């Protein structure tokens, strides 16, 4: 049977982001999905700012922005009459802030986002294999293999139909009812709130009956209807509502006629204005999490590992961010640069984030349910700075152990934090760019601020440049002489990069700061320029010894 590097089970946003990230690294990846055709789901309404940064890194953000729309103001009704309007983004800066290009999420149908990601994946020669249901997983060890599955191990995969397969690693991205998780025997602890029920679907409304520049929300004592226009359609809307109930108070299954009755009951529109209803589903509040995200060579991501309350739109986004955390680690292990133990940091970092996200989504749901009891309250209660994803970091991680932490109260990120963005210019051409553009692509980045960083950058380039998976970037202050600047260097014209990283300015020619930025845009090390050892040790953990292994220790120390 043929061997692939990574088998991804599930072709939703989580699986597709992971597949794109792996494929661009040259990893042999397969994506299977038990659905016979790409599903058109009606749940997630789009990426949050952190997910947009990830999609930008993958090269699809512009297409996502073009296919979707900015989030809309919310028009709230009571007893069929408009009573209030809220725009949670009205106070946002009119242009992106220096450290974050995206200041708000984006509305796009999940099926459209998945289509964009499938097209991107096809550009790497990888296509989703539909109708492939995984029914068996057996982990095997190679000769002399360690307990964690290193050095030749594999997973044998059995499908409901067709020939078996084999992969070095398997990642279950197959949703809340994950077959992969169940085959591993991993528990999915949590609760399902049977009384918190919502019916959902995609509908068409007669043209012109509602303003498509608003997200309409009717909240009454006896139920609710929410209608949000689906970008890229002329008459399509996302429909969400409290369900109809039978005589015993039990929720009824969603139907087109039921949606028409709910529309007529809560809004001023006649039921006949709803001309089509499909992708009907019932949503119950599930708050569950796997007790571990890795079992040997099989890992879990997205809803297969955790499900949250819908408030704040964190489900799909947390899965996308799981995938971006895992992809580079799998890539470095498969390339032989990092030990398999690096994969342990995936659970170490993402499990606490998932636990925090469960709490955050539940709290936002509680706040929203409280808000809608009052006329004029609405879904804006679910949106807080925490739901952007930009504040998620891993200060507790063993990958955040290098260098020295800034003193309390000083500006700049700590190891483990998201690496700030900042506008700058290419030192050679003057073309405007941003630090996140410098970071883009499947490599680790070493930033050097100040003249004193030159030696550490040279050592890094000598050891890992070329195809070593590490890029170096000197960040020049506006006043610095940049004659002979290295290719890829940038100029911090307005000082935004120095401010974001807390490097400050110094007249000392030996002063400087070196920052190692992981491929997922998180700070690995932030160290003074004379602390080359922290940088070297960190890079060795991720990328091996590099070409410096071919030189004597004395030569390496001399560069230091």
């Amino acid at each position: 049977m043929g061997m692939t590097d990574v088998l991804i089970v599930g072709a939703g946003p989580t699986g597709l982001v992971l597949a794109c990230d792996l494929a661009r690294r040259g990893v042999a990846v397969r994506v299977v999905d038990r659905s016979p055709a790409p599903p058109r789901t009606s749940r997630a309404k789009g990426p949050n700012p952190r997910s947009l940064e990830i999609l930008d890194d993958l090269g699809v953000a512009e297409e996502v922005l073009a296919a979707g729309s900015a989030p809309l103001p919310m028009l709230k009704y009571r007893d069929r009459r408009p009573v209030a309007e809220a725009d949670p983004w009205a106070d946002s800066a009119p242009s992106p802030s220096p450290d974050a290009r995206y200041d708000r999420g984006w509305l796009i149908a999940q099926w459209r986002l998945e289509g964009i990601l499938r097209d991107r994946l096809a550009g790497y020669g990888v296509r989703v294999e539909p109708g492939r249901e995984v029914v068996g997983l057996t982990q095997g060890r190679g000769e002399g293999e360690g307990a964690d599955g290193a050095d030749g191990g594999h997973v044998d995969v059995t499908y409901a139909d067709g020939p078996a397969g084999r992969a070095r690693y398997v990642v279950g991205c197959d949703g809340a009812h994950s077959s992969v998780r169940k085959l591993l025997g991993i528990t999915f602890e949590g609760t399902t709130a049977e009384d918190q029920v919502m019916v959902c679907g995609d509908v068409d409304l007669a043209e012109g009956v509602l303003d498509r520049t608003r997200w309409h929300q009717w909240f009454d004592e006896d139920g609710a209807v929410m209608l949000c226009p689906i970008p890229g359609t002329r008459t399509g809307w996302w429909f969400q509502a409290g369900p109809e109930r039978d005589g015993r108070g039990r929720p009824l299954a969603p139907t087109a006629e039921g949606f028409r009755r709910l529309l007529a009951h809560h809004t001023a529109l006649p039921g006949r204005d709803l001309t089509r209803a499909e992708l009907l589903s019932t949503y119950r509040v599930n708050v569950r999490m796997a007790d571990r995200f890795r079992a040997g060579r099989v890992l879990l991501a997205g809803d297969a590992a955790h499900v949250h309350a819908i408030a704040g739109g964190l489900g799909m986004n947390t899965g996308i961010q799981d995938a971006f955390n895992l992809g580079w680690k799998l890539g470095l292990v498969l390339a032989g640069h990092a030990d398999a133990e690096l994969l342990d940091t995936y659970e170490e970092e993402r499990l606490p984030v998932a636990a925090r996200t469960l709490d955050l989504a539940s709290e936002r749901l509680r706040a929203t349910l409280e808000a809608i009891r009052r006329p004029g309250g609405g879904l804006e209660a679910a949106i807080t700075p925490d739901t952007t994803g930009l504040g998620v970091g891993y200060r507790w991680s063993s990958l955040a152990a290098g260098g020295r932490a800034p003193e309390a109260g000083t500006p700049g990120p700590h190891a483990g934090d998201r690496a700030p963005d900042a506008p700058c210019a290419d030192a050679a051409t003057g073309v405007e760019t941003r630090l996140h553009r410098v970071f883009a692509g499947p490599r680790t980045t070493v930033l050097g601020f100040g003249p004193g960083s030159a030696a550490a950058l040279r050592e890094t380039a000598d050891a890992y440049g070329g195809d070593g998976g590490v890029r170096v970037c000197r960040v020049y202050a506006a006043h610095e002489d940049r004659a002979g600047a290295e290719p890829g260097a940038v100029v911090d014209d307005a000082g935004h990069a120095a401010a974001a990283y807390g490097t400050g300015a110094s007249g000392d020619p030996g002063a400087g700061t070196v920052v190692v930025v992981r491929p997922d845009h998180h700070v690995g090390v932030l160290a003074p320029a004379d602390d080359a050892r922290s940088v070297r040790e960190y890079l060795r953990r991720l990328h091996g010894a590099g070409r410096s292994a071919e030189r004597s220790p004395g030569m390496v120390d001399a560069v230091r």
Side-chain angles (χ1 to χ4, degrees):
M1 74 181 63
M3 174 84 82
T4 193
D5 288 335
V6 180
L7 173 71
I8 297 171
V9 184
T14 301
L16 291 170
V17 165
L18 178 59
C20 288
D21 195 20
L22 291 171
R24 68 178 178 167
R25 297 173 187 279
V27 173
V29 61
R30 290 180 62 191
V31 185
V32 299
D33 196 285
R34 61 186 164 199
S35 299
R40 288 174 63 97
T41 52
S42 181
R43 292 282 175 82
K45 289 186 174 64
N48 65 13
R50 177 57 187 143
S51 292
L52 283 171
E53 290 182 342
I54 292 169
L55 296 171
D56 190 33
D57 192 287
L58 295 176
V60 298
E62 293 304 318
E63 190 173 356
V64 169
L65 295 176
S69 77
L72 302 175
M74 301 175 181
L75 183 57
K76 279 77 68 66
Y77 302 77
R78 185 75 109 185
D79 298 325
R80 300 186 176 186
R81 295 186 176 187
V83 294
E85 183 168 304
D87 185 351
W89 303 274
D91 294 331
S92 297
S95 60
S97 63
D99 65 348
R101 179 182 180 186
Y102 303 103
D103 64 344
R104 63 196 67 190
W106 208 249
L107 292 176
I108 183 172
Q110 183 172 325
W111 53 265
R112 182 71 182 93
L113 174 61
E114 290 174 357
I116 291 171
L117 289 168
R118 281 196 304 273
D119 289 346
R120 184 65 170 176
L121 187 59
Y124 296 111
V126 181
R127 297 188 181 275
V128 174
E129 301 171 42
R132 299 283 277 163
E133 181 181 3
V134 173
V135 296
L137 296 170
T138 304
Q139 300 199 47
R141 294 186 182 180
E143 185 176 350
E145 183 184 357
D148 67 348
D151 303 327
H154 60 268
V155 184
D156 288 326
V157 184
T158 306
Y159 299 96
D161 296 299
R166 177 172 286 181
R168 292 183 172 86
Y169 291 94
V170 173
V171 185
C173 304
D174 49 341
H177 302 289
S178 170
S179 297
V180 172
R181 187 188 65 243
K182 293 173 183 175
L183 288 168
L184 294 174
I186 292 177
T187 59
F188 204 43
E189 297 292 342
T191 60
T192 299
E194 295 293 343
D195 59 331
Q196 294 180 332
V197 182
M198 182 170 63
V199 290
C200 312
D202 286 7
V203 304
D204 277 339
L205 296 181
E207 194 166 358
V209 300
L210 277 180
D211 179 3
R212 289 183 64 86
T213 67
R214 297 293 183 271
W215 184 350
H216 302 267
Q217 303 168 11
W218 292 263
F219 295 110
D220 296 319
E221 295 288 343
D222 61 345
V225 166
M226 293 155 278
L227 283 163
C228 183
I230 302 175
T233 70
R234 192 162 51 90
T235 58
W237 297 76
W238 284 299
F239 183 103
Q240 298 167 287
E244 294 185 297
R245 296 182 181 271
D246 64 17
R248 299 174 61 181
R250 296 174 299 191
L252 297 176
T255 64
E257 282 306 313
F259 279 15
R260 292 187 179 98
R261 287 190 293 267
L262 287 165
L263 186 74
H265 178 71
H266 290 287
T267 81
L269 301 176
R272 65 177 179 274
D273 280 350
L274 194 154
T275 59
R276 175 192 64 92
E278 61 181 21
L279 309 178
L280 309 184
S281 63
T282 298
Y283 169 80
R284 286 178 172 80
V285 175
N286 280 301
V287 181
R288 297 182 180 276
M289 190 171 76
D291 60 1
R292 52 198 171 113
F293 290 4
R294 181 187 179 198
R297 288 182 168 267
V298 185
L299 303 103
L300 300 175
D303 285 357
H306 44 75
V307 291
H308 334 104
I310 198 170
L314 297 169
M316 178 188 75
N317 286 291
T318 306
I320 287 173
Q321 292 152 35
D322 284 348
F324 204 54
N325 182 285
L326 178 58
W328 67 274
K329 297 173 181 177
L330 277 169
L332 289 178
V333 170
L334 285 163
H337 298 307
D339 293 335
E341 286 80 3
L342 180 63
L343 298 179
D344 291 334
T345 67
Y346 168 64
E347 178 180 299
E348 178 189 2
E349 294 181 343
R350 293 305 295 175
L351 193 149
V353 168
R356 167 63 182 138
T357 303
L358 263 64
D359 291 342
L360 174 61
S362 295
E363 168 57 25
R364 289 301 89 209
L365 177 63
R366 184 205 61 76
T368 302
L369 293 175
E370 182 178 313
I372 64 177
R373 294 190 183 101
R374 303 185 302 271
L379 300 186
E380 71 277 6
I383 300 168
T384 70
D386 284 344
T387 61
T388 66
L390 297 174
V392 173
Y394 313 114
R395 291 189 184 185
W396 62 84
S397 171
S398 60
L399 289 180
R404 295 197 289 266
E407 295 180 7
T410 59
H414 290 240
D417 291 352
R418 167 188 167 273
D421 198 0
C424 46
D426 185 278
T429 66
V431 173
E432 292 184 358
T433 186
R434 303 183 67 88
L435 286 184
H436 276 210
R437 284 282 85 215
V438 174
F439 302 159
R443 289 184 289 176
T444 299
T445 303
V446 181
L447 299 177
F449 293 86
S453 68
L457 294 184
R458 279 198 306 273
E459 178 182 346
T460 300
D462 287 346
Y464 298 101
D467 60 357
V470 181
R471 67 165 72 80
V472 299
C473 175
R474 174 75 159 85
V475 183
Y476 287 92
H479 66 272
E480 286 188 87
D481 179 9
R482 40 192 188 273
E486 306 83 353
V490 298
V491 181
D492 184 21
D493 296 288
H496 290 305
Y501 287 85
T503 61
S506 172
D508 181 357
T513 301
V514 181
V515 185
V516 180
V517 180
R518 302 169 5 170
D520 59 351
H521 313 160
H522 285 267
V523 174
V525 173
L526 193 152
D530 60 2
D531 187 13
R533 180 181 299 276
S534 291
V535 175
R536 187 183 314 118
E537 290 177 351
Y538 195 86
L539 292 175
R540 183 178 292 119
R541 181 175 180 187
L542 301 188
H543 296 274
R547 285 189 293 273
S548 63
E550 302 170 5
R551 301 183 295 177
S552 70
M555 289 180 67
V556 176
D557 290 339
V559 178
R560 191 196 320 162

